[in-house]
Amino acid sequence: RFVRYTSINTRSNEESTTIPSTQTQVDFATNVLVPDLKAIGLDEVIYNRENGFVIGTLNANTDAKAPSIGFIAHMDTADYNAENIKPRIIENYDGNDICLNEEHQIFTRRTDFPNLKNYIGKSLVVTDGLTLLGGDDKAGICEIMEALSYLVAHPEIKHGKIMCAFGPDEEIGTGADHFDVKQFPVDFAYTIDGESLGQLEYETFNAAGGTVMLKGVSVHTGTAKGIMINCAKLAMQFDALLPGAAVPEHTCGRQGFFMLMSMETQVDTGKMNYIIRDHDKELFEAKKAFFLQAGQTLNEIYGREVCEVSVKDQYYNMYDIIKDNMECVNVAKAAMEKAGITPICDPIRGGTDGSKISFMGIPTPNIFTGVENLHGRHEFACIDDMKKAVEVIVNIVNIEK
């Protein structure tokens, strides 16, 4: 299933105005996921054309009181080549460098990716070096599918109502904006969208996007003295006003940052796009205020408006919701321990669809998929750890734990 799903291009498109952002996601949802869920034997499967989500339900098979639980994964893949993906299975990985593409001499090297040492003796799925794999998050989709299939085939495992949701456009940050919680009446849920074995994440960044519109003055260089204002120089000045140590390459753990994502300038116009991140809400608000103040400072330096700065919130730290609803975390911890897995509960230096869905009223932490090196040619999935993710999902819903 995983090889079949990852071979299909479902890359999202940030420039699109449609929902989902690409027709390939619609096709994948309607032509692959819906039929596959029906084939498994779920009680109800729907595709919501308004938001692009596939919803499936497996009704409770017991009268015993049990929570209704949801599992969520996203269909789209990241902003990297996803055309003509050719997954390849390596059985019993020997721990050496992996040749992804002999013709182009593309390797996943141990010196670059020391995490490879954790997978010696296991089976991996890798790329041909020319595309990403798409395990983020088709691994999550497959693991939910396989867990549901197992539960249908083993009715002796008693469970409450189980729901699944496969959605679009997580990678561009818009899919969960349109999630319909009324179509997903569960007590709590999990995104199956983490990375290495054991990850159980219920703390994310608070996130915002910052935009700086630059306004310069263009004039012939021969008569530019005292007149020209070069937006390329303005961009450098603005960035220099931000704290140099508060960038991704110099931070870790719960340290937040500013990141210049893109910049385009001519002499008289320019635009800079930033992301602003922090786990702590007060520090997050302070960073946004600092960013806006940098714009005011630059305008004061020039005595005129040379930049217009704006900030827009993107998502918030799910822990602010989950800390008062820890049942979902405790259930997942117990399910992992039953599977012989030690939970790893580190904060995410990013976000998931669960960040937004938690604030919609469904506490939704994140669970590992067994995929690493995301969003590029060196992405790989560990089949052994994917099977463990399936086991954890089954353990979560099994009320006779």
Side-chain angles (χ1 to χ4, degrees), residues 316-387:
Y316 302 109
N317 187 350
M318 66 168 72
Y319 182 67
D320 291 339
I321 301 297
I322 291 178
K323 66 183 179 182
D324 298 319
N325 301 273
M326 289 294 286
E327 180 185 5
C328 56
V329 173
N330 295 332
V331 167
K333 284 182 178 179
M336 288 189 186
E337 289 166 355
K338 183 180 178 182
I341 300 168
T342 301
I344 302 170
C345 300
D346 294 328
I348 308 174
R349 288 183 62 78
T352 70
D353 278 344
S355 302
K356 293 179 179 179
I357 294 170
S358 291
F359 279 86
M360 294 177 180
I362 304 174
T364 307
N366 191 43
I367 289 175
F368 72 92
T369 61
V371 179
E372 292 210 55
N373 300 351
L374 310 182
H375 297 186
R377 70 179 81 231
H378 300 287
E379 182 183 5
F380 67 86
C382 174
I383 297 173
D384 307 68
D385 294 353
M386 291 177 69
K387 290 179 180 179

Side-chain angles (χ1 to χ4, degrees), residues 221-271:
T221 55
T223 57
K225 185 176 181 179
I227 302 173
M228 178 183 285
I229 300 177
N230 188 337
C231 284
K233 292 288 190 179
L234 288 177
M236 289 187 280
Q237 286 180 279
F238 180 89
D239 194 68
L241 291 171
L242 302 177
V247 292
E249 58 267 37
H250 296 313
T251 54
C252 62
R254 288 184 171 83
Q255 297 172 320
F257 59 77
F258 303 89
M259 180 177 178
L260 176 58
M261 296 291 290
S262 64
M263 179 177 69
E264 184 177 350
T265 63
Q266 299 179 18
V267 174
D268 58 349
T269 62
K271 182 178 181 181

Side-chain angles (χ1 to χ4, degrees), residues 33-62:
L33 298 183
V34 168
D36 281 6
L37 284 172
K38 289 181 177 178
I40 286 172
L42 266 62
D43 299 298
E44 183 180 358
V45 180
I46 62 172
Y47 174 66
N48 186 330
R49 296 189 178 278
E50 297 297 318
N51 63 14
F53 276 83
V54 175
I55 306 291
T57 302
L58 181 61
N59 288 325
N61 63 1
T62 177

